[in-house]
Amino acid sequence: MKFAYRFSNLLGTVYRCGNLNFTCDGNSVISPVGNRVTVFDLKNNKSDTLPLATRYNIKCVGLSPDGRLAIIVDEGGDALLASLVCRAVLHRFHFKGAVHSVSFSPDGRKFVVTKGNLAQMYHAPGRKREFNAFVLDKTYFGPYDETTCIDWTDDSRCFAVGSKDTSTWVFGAERWDNLIYYALGGHKDAIVGCFFESGSLDLYTLSQDGALCVWQCDTPPEGLRLKAPAGWKADLLQREGEDEDEGKDEDEDGAERETTIRGKAAPAAEEQRGKVQYSRVAKYFFNKEGDFNHLTAAAYHKKVHLLVTGFASGIFHLHELPEFNLIHSLSASDQRVSSIAINGSGDWIAFGCSGLGQLLVWEWQSESYVLKQQGHFNSMVSLAYSPDGQYIVTGGDDSKVKVWNTLSGFCFITFTEHSSGVTGVTFTTTGYVIVTSSMDGTVRAFDLHRYRNFRTFTSPRPTQFSCVAVDSSGDIVSAGAQDSFEILIWSMQTGRLLDVLSGHEGPISGLCFNPMKSVLASASWDRTVRLWDMADSWRTTETLALTSDALAVTFRPDGAELAVATLNSQITFWDPESAVQTGSIEGRHDLKTGRKELDKITAKHSAKGKAFTALCYSADGQSILAGGMSRFVCIYHVKEQILRKKFEISCNLSLDAMEEFLNRRKMTEFGNLALIDQDATEEGGVTIPLPGVKKGRCWAATTTEGLLIYSLDARMLFDPFELDTSVTPAQIRAALCQRDFTRAILMAFRLNERKLLQEALESVPWDEIGVISSSLPDLYVEKVLEFLASSFEESRHLEFYLIWTQKLLMVHGQQLKSRVGTLLPAVQFLQKSIQRHWDDVSKLCDWNRYNMQYALAVSKQRGLKRPSEPPGSEEEADASEDDDSSMHLLRRGPGDGDGPLA
């Protein structure tokens, strides 16, 4: 239970590749991020990543019309049928080839996938349990090159398929007698999008060279005639008494004819007589004369007649069809627009730019952003949690510093003052100041109140900083130099350089202050860790000799132990007082690195050069979290020196070095195919280390995929505490009926069922909470606090739970201080929950207060002429006093009332 961490959320990356989708209500965007799917709730300002992952990067996502199911297809052709309601995988399927797009029919009965040069129509999975959720209905042939896009008519009778061979094909979901399948031309480049008009078979086609063709159909959808049954069906109607075996043979032949449908690029004139015919009525061009800009994405809203097109330069156009009137043209990004989606009402437009990892939601009528998020352009290399766990700050090689809200999952501020890669980030103990180090030779301090860079620390001569640390008081800032092997000390208040510490003979790889004493530990590549005493003029008190280069150093939360990660894959533990080694952990076999495509040696031999690059103690100091150049993050028991749990943070085979052995199919007589095709992977064959982890109820790691957050998940676990046969739900409810609240609460916590816990706590009258709190044993107080912290997330009884929290801390505060190490995660979780409610309520109260002040001021001015007296007269002074007296109710303190609010 203590290490039941599960994947919780993905931050730092908002879009990678694939198509965007809006949910049915139009309030959420579904975005593929690598091999995961993230849902951005625009109304509640929250992001949530589904707890599922594909084997490769996601290529396309198809959403059912009711918004309950999603078909997620990766680059390898593997598909997941996922439920967006229960957030689980229902079925897995392999399409045996790369799929470019997938689309459900509007009635939800069928879905079509484009694969290679054909289109396949499947029966949509129903709500009943089925042995095979994907049943192939028909296969459509016609295009000569890869198919690229799909669109359905409103009545689900026909669908259009665009291809790279510049043709568009209209196919029928049923066999229509007067609809023959032939190619619609008129373009000179690959088809990017094809769209039916609402309630019609009229068609719009867009090609990559920026051309739009308008096709008019001479037959309405109601004019399509169902083809008369032929073959075995006709025979079956005429001769029902035929031999069964004969019927079976004909069944097989007929089934083959029905499931495989082939179109003709240029049918004969006799075949077209009396059939549905298309004629091109207009052709428009997006590019002006002399200007050439590739059209890369398009979306069309049928009810509003709004066409949105995105281009390779990052520009997007809004046109009204069929007149092709330009509404406006704007630039969304510097890179190509990869995907566009429009919500159901036609108000919001989502843009995805894979080059920058950018996701934008634009409200075109008010010309304003609803959402604008972008991850780090290059790899994310460092992170730090705020003391209350509410924020995470990340630094990347793109010289940006981003601050993320762990509750909403959004980045709310980006600092761009650095001019080179950020190497280290940290919070001060107040949680409102961020200190960062960079390769540009500066250390900067940022204020989270005013969102500004208020201090810049520099060195006397140019140097590159590799790490940064701030002491517990927040007054002393230290940074390690990579090229001069020195440690520089500054004052946060004055910004002056206090001292330069010399003694190391190699680059500084890590710095850490002792949380309890004024001691700084510095790790270096010269195989030593030095302890510097701030109270004794920064003298070296101890030098710890290591067997290999030091890569990371950290103190235990109580400051009584020091952990060092070295290049030989070991973690060594030291007593900082006596400079004696107390233990070591061998982590080489736990890293399990993979083999890159261009590696000349095997994964087993390359693992010898791998090591942990980041360390972090748990809040109680009994466990340590370690990560490195591997897809695994390990939790070790410090005292027993054993592996407690290992987490695989990614299974994405689109990244390099994810497999232990090379694929034999890529080995040819001329060598590895990776040497020939350098652009085989978009990631460039680079795997990023995991340089940040954090303790408590959650931990996070910076990876190639983004910022991964793992949190304790106890929703589906039955974890009783000191349970015996006398503790049952019936006994708990009987105690509540007898008003024996203390015994009922204790029994509920022993059974540890959340519904019973909530029922027992909420049955206590608010004026008896103080008495019940004082009668609880100390052992159960921690459990009550953890339950209260989790209840703040979802309960509406805010004041009731705040009274519980206040009474528990007032009565048991002294006893809780003695166990501060074990209680720290629960208290931080509680503080984080209360802080979130305080932020929300304070904004609402301020807004109401200002509105009421404005309404009072307007009501006093109504019907009165403006006086001619100069400003500052006695009337204005009296009016301001009246305003203050009328608002005294809004300023009532917490002690003015005793009972809870109604």
Side-chain angles (χ1 to χ4, degrees):
M1 179 65 188
K2 188 174 182 181
F3 298 102
Y5 289 96
R6 288 176 180 244
F7 174 77
S8 173
N9 207 354
L10 173 64
L11 280 65
T13 318
V14 291
Y15 175 76
R16 185 73 57 82
C17 59
N19 62 309
L20 299 170
N21 286 278
F22 273 97
T23 53
C24 296
D25 58 3
N27 295 329
S28 300
V29 178
I30 298 176
S31 171
V33 184
N35 67 333
R36 299 183 183 273
V37 175
T38 303
V39 181
F40 295 94
D41 190 343
L42 304 176
K43 196 171 185 181
N44 299 316
N45 191 34
K46 197 172 183 181
S47 73
D48 187 25
T49 304
L50 301 181
L52 52 90
T54 56
R55 295 177 68 237
Y56 294 91
N57 283 337
I58 293 173
K59 182 72 173 176
C60 53
V61 178
L63 198 63
S64 65
D66 58 0
R68 294 173 179 269
L69 298 177
I71 296 176
I72 304 164
V73 189
D74 65 14
E75 293 171 347
D78 287 313
L80 300 179
L81 175 64
S83 169
L84 299 181
V85 179
C86 62
R87 298 157 47 88
V89 177
L90 305 178
H91 186 70
R92 296 176 185 270
F93 187 77
H94 187 60
F95 283 111
K96 298 179 181 177
V99 174
H100 193 279
S101 57
V102 57
S103 176
F104 274 88
S105 62
D107 60 5
R109 294 183 178 181
K110 305 285 179 68
F111 71 88
V112 173
V113 297
T114 56
K115 182 185 71 171
N117 65 336
L118 53 89
Q120 290 182 328
M121 185 166 66
Y122 288 81
H123 291 286
R127 297 181 184 177
K128 299 178 182 178
R129 292 187 178 182
E130 299 165 326
F131 177 73
N132 184 11
F134 292 78
V135 179
L136 180 63
D137 185 18
K138 295 181 181 69
T139 302
Y140 298 87
F141 292 89
Y144 295 106
D145 206 343
E146 288 185 18
T147 47
T148 57
C149 52
I150 312 167
D151 190 55
W152 285 84
T153 55
D154 290 340
D155 54 7
S156 303
R157 294 187 177 200
C158 301
F159 63 91
V161 173
S163 171
K164 285 186 178 179
D165 65 0
T166 74
S167 66
T168 307
W169 296 73
V170 179
F171 293 112
E174 302 290 340
R175 293 307 303 266
W176 304 111
D177 186 35
N178 56 340
L179 178 65
I180 59 172
Y181 307 141
Y182 60 93
L184 301 177
H187 289 283
K188 298 179 181 179
D189 210 338
I191 303 297
V192 175
C194 53
F195 308 104
F196 280 105
E197 188 57 88
S198 177
S200 169
L201 290 177
D202 295 348
L203 191 66
Y204 302 106
T205 57
L206 295 100
S207 60
Q208 195 172 337
D209 59 355
L212 166 68
C213 288
V214 182
W215 300 89
Q216 189 175 24
C217 182
D218 62 353
T219 307
E222 300 80 22
L224 294 175
R225 300 188 304 270
L226 202 60
K227 194 170 186 179
W232 66 271
K233 291 184 179 179
D235 294 342
L236 194 64
L237 291 172
Q238 294 174 3
R239 302 172 297 161
E240 293 184 356
E242 286 284 331
D243 190 16
E244 194 171 334
D245 296 333
E246 199 176 315
K248 281 184 182 176
D249 295 337
E250 293 179 359
D251 192 346
E252 291 173 3
D253 297 339
E256 185 177 330
R257 288 196 301 271
E258 288 291 328
T259 56
T260 303
I261 299 168
R262 299 183 180 275
K264 293 183 180 179
E270 306 85 51
E271 296 180 23
Q272 297 187 32
R273 205 167 290 142
K275 308 291 185 181
V276 174
Q277 291 191 357
Y278 277 90
S279 58
R280 194 181 73 188
V281 295
K283 187 173 183 180
Y284 303 102
F285 296 94
F286 291 93
N287 293 324
K288 297 177 182 177
E289 190 174 350
D291 181 22
F292 188 75
N293 197 357
H294 272 305
L295 192 149
T296 55
Y300 179 62
H301 195 280
K302 298 179 182 180
K303 295 179 181 177
V304 189
H305 304 287
L306 180 70
L307 176 68
V308 186
T309 50
F311 294 86
S313 61
I315 295 173
F316 69 92
H317 296 327
L318 270 70
H319 286 87
E320 186 183 6
L321 293 182
E323 291 83 9
F324 198 66
N325 297 327
L326 180 65
I327 298 174
H328 61 224
S329 174
L330 291 168
S331 177
S333 173
D334 296 333
Q335 302 285 332
R336 66 189 293 268
V337 179
S338 305
S339 179
I340 299 175
I342 310 176
N343 73 339
S345 62
D347 297 329
W348 292 348
I349 306 168
F351 301 95
C353 304
S354 58
L356 293 173
Q358 203 172 31
L359 178 63
L360 310 171
V361 179
W362 173 262
E363 188 173 16
W364 64 275
Q365 290 176 335
S366 63
E367 298 189 13
S368 60
Y369 284 113
V370 179
L371 173 73
K372 186 177 183 181
Q373 289 287 303
Q374 180 181 342
H376 287 278
F377 178 67
N378 281 339
S379 57
M380 202 184 302
V381 295
S382 55
L383 73 85
Y385 263 99
S386 63
D388 59 358
Q390 199 167 1
Y391 306 119
I392 296 179
V393 59
T394 58
D397 283 340
D398 58 355
S399 73
K400 291 181 180 178
V401 177
K402 290 179 173 285
V403 188
W404 307 82
N405 189 318
T406 56
L407 294 170
S408 67
F410 288 122
C411 171
F412 62 90
I413 184 66
T414 301
F415 298 107
T416 58
E417 279 78 6
H418 283 295
S419 58
S420 188
V422 179
T423 55
V425 293
T426 185
F427 273 95
T428 59
T429 50
T430 60
Y432 296 110
V433 175
I434 297 169
V435 182
T436 62
S437 61
S438 172
M439 300 293 279
D440 62 2
T442 63
V443 173
R444 296 178 182 270
F446 299 95
D447 181 11
L448 285 186
H449 281 303
R450 298 178 179 84
Y451 301 129
R452 63 189 179 95
N453 175 209
F454 70 95
R455 283 281 185 274
T456 301
F457 309 102
T458 56
S459 59
R461 57 177 181 270
T463 185
Q464 293 180 320
F465 295 114
S466 58
C467 50
V468 67
V470 181
D471 74 332
S472 56
S473 66
D475 294 334
I476 303 298
V477 179
S478 66
Q482 194 168 1
D483 41 9
S484 63
F485 315 152
E486 296 172 336
I487 302 169
L488 288 85
I489 310 293
W490 295 276
S491 168
M492 178 72 82
Q493 291 185 348
T494 63
R496 293 177 56 191
L497 180 67
L498 300 179
D499 208 343
V500 178
L501 310 181
S502 303
H504 280 295
E505 299 174 0
I508 312 299
S509 56
L511 294 174
C512 185
F513 276 96
N514 190 320
M516 301 300 172
K517 298 180 181 178
S518 55
V519 174
L520 173 67
S522 61
S524 172
W525 290 6
D526 62 0
R527 302 190 176 188
T528 62
V529 170
R530 293 176 179 262
L531 301 178
W532 313 82
D533 192 353
M534 184 171 62
D536 192 13
S537 302
W538 294 105
R539 288 187 182 178
T540 307
T541 57
E542 297 290 350
T543 301
L544 312 180
L546 308 172
T547 57
S548 185
D549 297 2
L551 300 179
V553 61
T554 184
F555 275 100
R556 202 166 68 184
D558 60 359
E561 190 177 68
L562 184 74
V564 183
T566 53
L567 192 60
N568 58 357
S569 306
Q570 285 188 345
I571 303 172
T572 55
F573 301 97
W574 300 78
D575 184 353
E577 295 294 329
S578 59
V580 175
Q581 183 175 341
T582 58
S584 67
I585 293 174
E586 180 65 46
R588 179 172 298 159
H589 299 292
D590 301 323
L591 280 167
K592 273 195 178 179
T593 55
R595 182 174 180 179
K596 292 185 179 180
E597 291 185 342
L598 302 180
D599 278 352
K600 303 297 183 185
I601 58 175
T602 61
K604 186 177 180 181
H605 285 85
S606 68
K608 294 179 181 177
K610 306 299 180 184
F612 293 114
T613 57
L615 297 174
C616 182
Y617 273 98
S618 62
D620 56 5
Q622 295 181 5
S623 305
I624 193 166
L625 198 59
M629 296 283 284
S630 166
R631 67 179 186 275
F632 292 102
V633 171
C634 305
I635 296 181
Y636 292 98
H637 192 284
V638 175
K639 193 173 182 182
E640 302 292 338
Q641 298 173 14
I642 58 173
L643 178 68
R644 278 188 159 178
K645 194 159 186 180
K646 186 161 65 172
F647 299 92
E648 186 180 14
I649 58 173
S650 179
C651 59
N652 189 358
L653 298 180
S654 296
L655 305 177
D656 203 359
M658 289 298 292
E659 295 183 290
E660 190 174 353
F661 302 101
L662 292 181
N663 192 343
R664 296 284 182 186
R665 296 176 184 174
K666 294 185 179 180
M667 300 302 294
T668 65
E669 57 180 327
F670 304 106
N672 194 341
L673 285 176
L675 292 167
I676 303 167
D677 187 11
Q678 293 290 345
D679 297 325
T681 56
E682 293 183 4
E683 309 305 321
V686 179
T687 304
I688 312 301
L690 313 173
V693 285
K694 179 64 184 176
K695 59 201 174 190
R697 296 183 60 87
C698 304
W699 59 268
T702 52
T703 68
T704 312
E705 300 274 58
L707 178 61
L708 300 177
I709 297 181
Y710 286 74
S711 60
L712 283 176
D713 182 23
R715 288 176 293 179
M716 302 300 291
L717 296 176
F718 176 62
D719 186 28
F721 174 71
E722 295 182 357
L723 187 64
D724 57 31
T725 56
S726 64
V727 179
T728 62
Q731 291 290 333
I732 295 171
R733 291 189 173 96
L736 289 175
C737 291
Q738 297 168 8
R739 300 184 64 83
D740 191 354
F741 298 116
T742 305
R743 187 165 68 90
I745 291 172
L746 294 182
M747 284 197 295
F749 274 99
R750 289 172 70 182
L751 192 60
N752 208 4
E753 280 286 339
R754 183 168 183 83
K755 294 275 182 72
L756 284 170
L757 286 171
Q758 185 176 350
E759 184 180 346
L761 282 176
E762 292 182 358
S763 299
V764 180
W766 71 269
D767 51 353
E768 296 184 25
I769 291 177
V771 180
I772 304 299
S773 299
S774 60
S775 63
L776 288 176
D778 292 340
L779 187 62
Y780 288 87
V781 173
E782 179 184 354
K783 294 184 176 296
V784 178
L785 288 176
E786 286 185 0
F787 177 78
L788 291 173
S790 60
S791 297
F792 277 119
E793 300 274 331
E794 52 194 29
S795 177
R796 58 185 178 182
H797 305 298
L798 179 60
E799 188 177 3
F800 181 79
Y801 283 119
L802 283 174
I803 295 173
W804 262 109
T805 306
Q806 183 190 23
K807 299 296 183 185
L808 281 171
L809 295 177
M810 292 288 290
V811 173
H812 299 276
Q814 293 300 323
Q815 291 86 352
L816 294 177
K817 278 187 179 180
S818 61
R819 294 187 292 125
V820 65
T822 56
L823 281 172
L824 189 58
V827 174
Q828 285 183 340
F829 187 31
L830 188 67
Q831 180 189 1
K832 178 179 169 183
S833 303
I834 295 175
Q835 181 71 31
R836 182 174 69 88
H837 279 292
W838 185 85
D839 291 340
D840 294 342
V841 173
S842 62
K843 288 178 184 176
L844 185 63
C845 291
D846 287 344
W847 176 253
N848 289 339
R849 181 166 170 261
Y850 296 147
N851 280 341
M852 292 175 73
Q853 282 181 341
Y854 176 75
L856 286 169
V858 169
S859 65
K860 291 191 182 228
Q861 294 293 331
R862 187 169 292 172
L864 296 177
K865 292 184 178 180
R866 189 177 295 275
S868 58
E869 285 83 358
S873 61
E874 294 181 11
E875 284 93 4
E876 289 188 1
D878 295 336
S880 64
E881 289 176 7
D882 292 339
D883 284 348
D884 291 340
S885 62
S886 64
M887 294 301 296
H888 75 281
L889 287 173
L890 293 171
R891 301 195 187 105
R892 189 180 64 158
D896 293 340
D898 298 327
L901 296 176

